[in-house]
Amino acid sequence: MNIAWDDLRTVLMLVRHQTLAGAGAALSINYTTVARRIRRVETGLGHLLFERSADGYRPTEAARIVASHAENMETSEFDLRRKLQGINPELSGCLTITAPQLLISHFLAPVLDQFDRAFPQIELRILATNDILDLTRLEADLAIRISRNPGDMLKGLRLLKQENASFAAPGMAAQIQSDPKAMIDWIVYDAIPNVPQGIDPTYPNNRVRFRFDDMVAMLGAAQAGLGVVRVPMFLGRAVAGLVEVPVLPPQPYSDVWVVGHPDVWPSEKARAFREVLIAYCKQHRANFTS
Amino acid sequence: MNIAWDDLRTVLMLVRHQTLAGAGAALSINYTTVARRIRRVETGLGHLLFERSADGYRPTEAARIVASHAENMETSEFDLRRKLQGINPELSGCLTITAPQLLISHFLAPVLDQFDRAFPQIELRILATNDILDLTRLEADLAIRISRNPGDMLKGLRLLKQENASFAAPGMAAQIQSDPKAMIDWIVYDAIPNVPQGIDPTYPNNRVRFRFDDMVAMLGAAQAGLGVVRVPMFLGRAVAGLVEVPVLPPQPYSDVWVVGHPDVWPSEKARAFREVLIAYCKQHRANFTS
DNA sequence: GCAAATACACGCGTTTTTGCACGAAGGTCG
DNA sequence: CGACCTTCGTGCAAAAACGCGTGTATTTGC
């Protein structure tokens, strides 16, 4: 008569992943165990939940109903874990931060060092990705993001105003300076596949030479002298082998924010990290604008 | 990192019951297991959840937070089980009905017999109680209730209009008839502790002799000739050793309803039971009014 | 048309979880 | 003040759950 809640979670995972192995991996258990739990919950509820086939378990209508309620339970679990994280007074344990790779590698790395020295009991976990992680699902405790506002229902603090500008390898920079009317090759980001707006009329001839989907590769190409890139000012300045070129005058760009879920935001560990982070940003804010 | 949902339920039960043994009984597990699970979830979450003392486990603030979220999960579980019950097309398995004891013993018993003969695959479970069971928590699938409306958010169908009247043992009835002006002793229900209103002026002298908290005992007392009772008409007529006395003319009384949760209501088993029930009530509705 | 890959089913040995019996501590009542 | 009741903690054996290896069916790719 009594149904195990963990079995409901197993159903949810199987509905999501369609295969025993996939669900097992998501739960960090063997797929055989998934199969056993499914059989158990099926007999317990008195409903067939999946049609077994050679290419996986196909959920029945009943399974979808189970899954949707298990999803509510999962939401409650995340709510709970965030709340507990928020009231945790310890300055020890794990703290997960996410930020764009390039922001970490070319600017934030010293913050990590400082924080680790100041709070050696806290194990810092860094997720360096351009993906927008789901802070509601506790994929990270705090996120450092480049955007116009915190977004969603998140709490946020603006760390830095920033501008972007045009950069190129020194050789190319010299060539542009010596012949402003010559054709200027641009390396642009896939998402905005045109020559930037607002180019100084001194340089009338511009074209897109390459479109990239990855900023790291773009910087490499620019370093190799393949063209001019528009990047945030801190980044162009921080990358060796690039110099600013006056083709594109500095323009306002999305700001740098630290954001977090309201539940997690007040936690001691998050507060401690923000303190170190804010101090560091204040100290180096000149890097971000002209 | 991963927290077992069943452990959260265990925390919920311990917060509710305060003692390991109580929580264990509620979960049908040994109390040592409760203690072990609590320890496990405490280390898993990194929060102390209970203060151990000789008279039980006292929840901390963190435990209350866990419990409140586990309560949401429990609600989801009940939602789920009702939904599944509602879409269950089987005419087999268990069906739980609740009704007031006296309604069952003096009127509904034949329905149970008929239903069991018509649907032998369905195991009928009867909760004969005057308590209002929580259909949301699936304490019963259907309830037969004496009330003015279905109540809550429940679906309902009015089965019978009924009236009540005054009954007494034959000896007492004869005495009342022979001497209408003599003092008439009443046996009344605790909840309404006065002589009923609307008594025929032919019988001017009335007093409360006993107040009871239990209807079965009241009937016994009336059978023994201790006084006059006001009861639903079907009941006075069905009980051996009582006859109607004209002291209190028949009055409208709360009706008989069958009610159920909207999720469970459309289930095949519930539908089948209602069919038998309604037919039986139609056939015998004359018993309930004058 | 055949081989590789993928996915499930089943049986066996191991690990984990659970229940039970016993003992200690604190509170209650005569 | 002492017997009794309730409650929790611990050690041990039984039971349940689990992971692994093997076998089979079906799909995919060449």
Side-chain angles (χ1 to χ4, degrees):
Chain A
M1 202 70 212
N2 223 0
I3 189 77
W5 287 5
D6 284 305
D7 289 356
L8 298 181
R9 167 148 71 168
T10 308
V11 173
L12 171 60
M13 287 305 172
L14 186 51
V15 169
R16 280 193 183 146
H17 292 91
Q18 313 281 1
T19 71
L20 295 179
L27 291 164
S28 310
I29 58 175
N30 191 283
Y31 74 94
T32 320
T33 302
V34 176
R36 275 188 286 246
R37 289 190 187 171
I38 296 301
R39 269 197 293 274
R40 185 170 59 193
V41 74
E42 277 181 337
T43 61
L45 292 176
H47 284 263
L48 183 75
L49 295 180
F50 295 89
E51 283 160 20
R52 279 77 168 162
S53 73
D55 63 335
Y57 273 50
R58 195 175 26 227
T60 64
E61 187 53 32
R64 286 186 212 288
I65 293 173
V66 174
S68 90
H69 288 79
E71 207 156 36
N72 294 340
M73 298 172 79
E74 190 191 41
T75 301
S76 294
E77 187 205 335
F78 282 122
D79 286 354
L80 167 63
R81 294 202 357 217
R82 289 197 314 271
K83 287 249 163 55
L84 289 179
Q85 181 76 292
I87 65 163
N88 193 340
E90 308 285 330
L91 282 171
S92 60
C94 192
L95 181 71
T96 305
I97 305 292
T98 179
Q101 297 131 334
L102 285 168
L103 196 63
I104 293 177
S105 56
H106 290 92
F107 176 66
L108 289 175
V111 173
L112 308 181
D113 182 51
Q114 283 176 26
F115 182 79
D116 181 57
R117 288 172 197 276
F119 302 96
Q121 306 294 338
I122 300 179
E123 185 188 336
L124 201 54
R125 193 167 138 249
I126 319 290
L127 300 177
T129 171
N130 290 320
D131 298 342
I132 304 296
L133 298 189
D134 191 343
L135 304 190
T136 300
R137 296 176 72 90
L138 231 51
E139 291 177 354
D141 296 308
L142 288 176
I144 295 152
R145 290 185 177 161
I146 293 173
S147 64
R148 308 213 177 278
N149 55 59
D152 291 338
M153 294 306 189
L154 301 178
K155 240 180 131 95
L157 212 59
R158 192 171 61 183
L159 293 168
L160 297 158
K161 291 187 188 182
Q162 66 172 345
E163 294 173 342
N164 60 21
S166 53
F167 289 83
M172 183 165 237
Q175 190 187 327
I176 289 170
Q177 194 172 8
S178 69
D179 184 5
K181 300 271 185 283
M183 179 63 72
I184 297 175
D185 291 332
W186 281 85
I187 303 169
V188 301
Y189 200 62
D190 230 5
I192 314 144
N194 297 316
V195 169
Q197 302 204 325
I199 292 179
D200 188 323
T202 316
Y203 311 93
N205 295 311
N206 293 272
R207 65 162 187 182
V208 171
R209 186 169 175 208
F210 297 111
R211 282 162 52 181
F212 277 68
D213 72 337
D214 180 81
M215 187 72 82
V216 175
M218 280 172 70
L219 290 170
Q223 285 170 312
L226 304 192
V228 177
V229 287
R230 178 182 68 168
V231 291
M233 196 158 265
F234 87 92
L235 186 57
R237 287 169 172 171
V239 171
L242 287 185
V243 296
E244 188 174 349
V245 290
V247 180
L248 187 70
Q251 297 177 330
Y253 190 57
S254 300
D255 299 324
V256 180
W257 292 75
V258 55
V259 302
H261 192 285
D263 288 344
V264 177
W265 188 264
S267 83
E268 282 304 304
K269 280 185 280 193
R271 199 195 48 68
F273 186 83
R274 286 197 302 274
E275 241 169 50
V276 175
L277 177 66
I278 291 167
Y280 179 81
C281 287
K282 268 194 186 147
Q283 206 179 330
H284 294 87
R285 65 180 157 200
N287 284 3
F288 283 74
T289 52
S290 53
Chain B
M1 203 70 211
N2 224 1
I3 189 77
W5 286 4
D6 284 305
D7 288 357
L8 298 180
R9 168 149 68 169
T10 307
V11 172
L12 172 60
M13 288 306 172
L14 186 50
V15 169
R16 281 193 183 147
H17 292 90
Q18 314 280 0
T19 71
L20 294 180
L27 291 164
S28 310
I29 57 176
N30 193 283
Y31 74 95
T32 31
T33 303
V34 177
R36 278 187 285 246
R37 289 190 186 171
I38 296 301
R39 271 198 292 275
R40 184 170 60 192
V41 73
E42 279 182 335
T43 62
L45 292 176
H47 284 264
L48 184 75
L49 294 180
F50 295 89
E51 284 161 19
R52 278 79 169 161
S53 75
D55 62 335
Y57 274 49
R58 195 177 24 229
T60 63
E61 186 53 32
R64 286 186 212 286
I65 293 173
V66 173
S68 89
H69 288 80
E71 207 156 36
N72 293 340
M73 297 172 79
E74 190 191 42
T75 301
S76 294
E77 188 206 334
F78 283 121
D79 286 355
L80 167 62
R81 296 208 346 224
R82 288 197 314 270
K83 286 247 163 57
L84 290 179
Q85 181 78 293
I87 65 164
N88 193 340
E90 307 287 331
L91 282 171
S92 61
C94 192
L95 181 72
T96 305
I97 306 292
T98 179
Q101 297 131 336
L102 285 168
L103 196 63
I104 293 178
S105 56
H106 292 90
F107 176 66
L108 289 176
V111 172
L112 309 181
D113 181 51
Q114 283 175 25
F115 182 79
D116 181 56
R117 288 173 197 277
F119 302 95
Q121 304 296 336
I122 300 180
E123 185 188 337
L124 201 54
R125 194 167 137 248
I126 319 290
L127 301 177
T129 171
N130 290 320
D131 298 341
I132 304 296
L133 300 188
D134 191 344
L135 304 190
T136 301
R137 296 176 73 89
L138 230 51
E139 291 176 356
D141 296 308
L142 288 176
I144 295 152
R145 290 185 178 159
I146 293 174
S147 63
R148 308 216 175 275
N149 54 58
D152 292 338
M153 294 306 190
L154 300 178
K155 242 180 131 92
L157 213 58
R158 191 170 62 184
L159 293 169
L160 297 158
K161 292 187 187 180
Q162 67 172 341
E163 295 174 341
N164 60 23
S166 53
F167 289 82
M172 183 166 235
Q175 190 185 329
I176 290 171
Q177 196 173 5
S178 68
D179 183 5
K181 298 269 185 285
M183 179 63 70
I184 297 176
D185 290 331
W186 282 86
I187 304 168
V188 301
Y189 201 60
D190 229 6
I192 314 143
N194 297 317
V195 168
Q197 302 204 325
I199 291 179
D200 188 323
T202 316
Y203 311 93
N205 295 310
N206 293 272
R207 65 162 187 184
V208 171
R209 186 167 175 209
F210 297 111
R211 283 163 49 183
F212 277 69
D213 73 336
D214 181 79
M215 187 73 80
V216 176
M218 279 172 71
L219 290 170
Q223 285 170 311
L226 304 192
V228 178
V229 287
R230 179 184 66 168
V231 291
M233 197 158 267
F234 87 93
L235 187 57
R237 288 171 172 170
V239 171
L242 287 186
V243 296
E244 188 174 348
V245 290
V247 181
L248 187 68
Q251 299 177 330
Y253 190 55
S254 300
D255 299 324
V256 180
W257 292 75
V258 55
V259 302
H261 192 284
D263 288 344
V264 177
W265 188 265
S267 83
E268 282 304 305
K269 279 184 281 193
R271 197 195 48 69
F273 187 83
R274 286 197 304 273
E275 241 170 50
V276 175
L277 177 67
I278 290 167
Y280 180 80
C281 287
K282 268 194 187 147
Q283 204 180 331
H284 294 88
R285 64 183 158 198
N287 284 3
F288 285 74
T289 52
S290 52

